[in-house]
Amino acid sequence: MIRSGSPLSTLGFVVVACSMLAACGSTRVVERSLDGGEPLTQASAAEDRRVHMDLIRRMIDQNQNYAALAHIEAQQRSRNSDELRLLEADVRRKLNQTATAQQIYHSLLAGPYAAQAHHGMGLIWAQSDPVQSLSHLRRAVQLAPTDVELRNDLGYSLMLARRYPDALPEMATAVELDPSSDKARNNLLILMILMRDERSVQRIVRESNIDSATLAKLRRQAEILVSTPRPAPTPVTKPSRAG
């Protein structure tokens, strides 16, 4: 890279620059790097975006939601992809900005992130309307049947609704899809406890080497779930007819 103050003459710089462009073929400069420094080629710009998206996801996983939203807004100044909008909806849902989150999710229901949008809608409705929540979560699983998180959340919602036989295949599928997922395994254990299937409980404990303290904690969680009342579904209001 030739910088200011180089001993090369202006003519020499032009020759070198032309040679570099010829060697690069179809590669062209499309945008600046994140720090506003040197221009990026198409390939390096794509890699730069991928790194930034991974950073945003890590922030969301660590509940650094305000920081994640700031980075999302910075990215949206130059582009506003469906992926960025989905991440924005997830962050706003976690920040209890449910109206905005729901509006964004709704706009994504017909696109490539429809499964994740239905999942987000299902999580929004989980606390107020289990029927609506389950409808969205089922649709999410239909669209992405191998997604462990979607399967697990559908199974968990069915478990909260006391529909234990319906929850079982969803949770079992999540565990088999990702045997390393402690979250999916623990939820399946809670379900087995609620179903009073002690033989399956002990089998999972042995196979996963779960200690007695963890099992006792899961049993307490099962007791809390079974004693917690569920909200009644929100009544559907029919539109009034004119005249």
Side-chain angles (χ1 to χ4, degrees):
M1 179 65 67
I2 301 172
R3 303 187 181 277
S4 59
S6 170
L8 290 175
S9 65
T10 302
L11 177 60
F13 174 81
V14 173
V15 172
V16 173
C18 291
S19 299
M20 290 174 64
L21 287 174
C24 291
S26 61
T27 302
R28 60 188 178 88
V29 173
V30 293
E31 59 184 89
R32 295 274 174 181
S33 60
L34 291 176
D35 59 6
E38 295 299 322
L40 299 174
T41 63
Q42 285 180 321
S44 59
E47 175 65 13
D48 197 63
R49 287 194 297 269
R50 186 193 65 77
V51 170
H52 208 157
M53 297 299 283
D54 289 344
L55 171 64
I56 292 171
R57 288 191 176 90
R58 284 197 301 272
M59 290 178 175
I60 295 174
D61 290 341
Q62 296 168 5
N63 286 321
Q64 298 174 351
N65 296 310
Y66 288 106
L69 185 58
H71 279 273
I72 291 169
E73 291 171 344
Q75 286 284 287
Q76 287 174 332
R77 294 176 60 185
S78 58
R79 62 189 184 94
N80 191 16
S81 65
D82 285 350
E83 185 180 17
L84 275 171
R85 292 165 62 209
L86 176 64
L87 291 176
E88 180 186 357
D90 288 342
V91 170
R92 293 192 184 280
R93 171 175 54 79
K94 289 188 172 187
L95 292 173
N96 292 320
Q97 300 175 10
T98 53
T100 303
Q102 191 170 0
Q103 184 178 11
I104 299 173
Y105 283 136
H106 191 269
S107 71
L108 297 170
L109 292 179
Y113 293 95
Q116 292 77 9
H118 276 290
H119 179 237
M121 295 280 280
L123 296 180
I124 286 177
W125 285 107
Q127 297 302 318
S128 59
D129 193 334
V131 174
Q132 282 237 48
S133 175
L134 283 172
S135 177
H136 282 291
L137 292 175
R138 283 191 184 281
R139 184 56 180 156
V141 168
Q142 289 173 355
L143 293 170
T146 61
D147 190 300
V148 174
E149 184 179 5
L150 305 190
R151 285 276 186 181
N152 179 74
D153 286 352
L154 173 58
Y156 194 84
S157 293
L158 288 165
M159 181 173 68
L160 291 180
R162 317 290 199 262
R163 296 170 57 178
Y164 304 147
D166 293 332
L168 179 56
E170 305 301 336
M171 289 190 171
T173 301
V175 171
E176 291 183 6
L177 285 171
D178 185 6
S180 66
S181 172
D182 292 342
K183 178 182 177 181
R185 180 207 62 200
N186 289 347
N187 285 340
L188 180 60
L189 259 176
I190 292 174
L191 177 63
M192 293 295 97
I193 294 169
L194 292 173
M195 296 180 73
R196 302 184 185 279
D197 187 350
E198 194 61 28
R199 178 177 296 181
S200 294
V201 169
Q202 294 304 321
R203 176 181 57 80
I204 297 172
V205 167
R206 288 194 305 272
E207 293 176 351
S208 302
N209 295 318
I210 297 174
D211 57 68
S212 57
T214 299
L215 180 58
K217 179 180 178 181
L218 294 175
R219 290 189 187 278
R220 287 194 297 271
Q221 291 181 15
E223 293 175 1
I224 293 172
L225 287 178
V226 79
S227 62
T228 302
R230 300 296 297 150
T234 302
V236 178
T237 303
K238 294 182 179 181
S240 59
R241 295 183 178 179

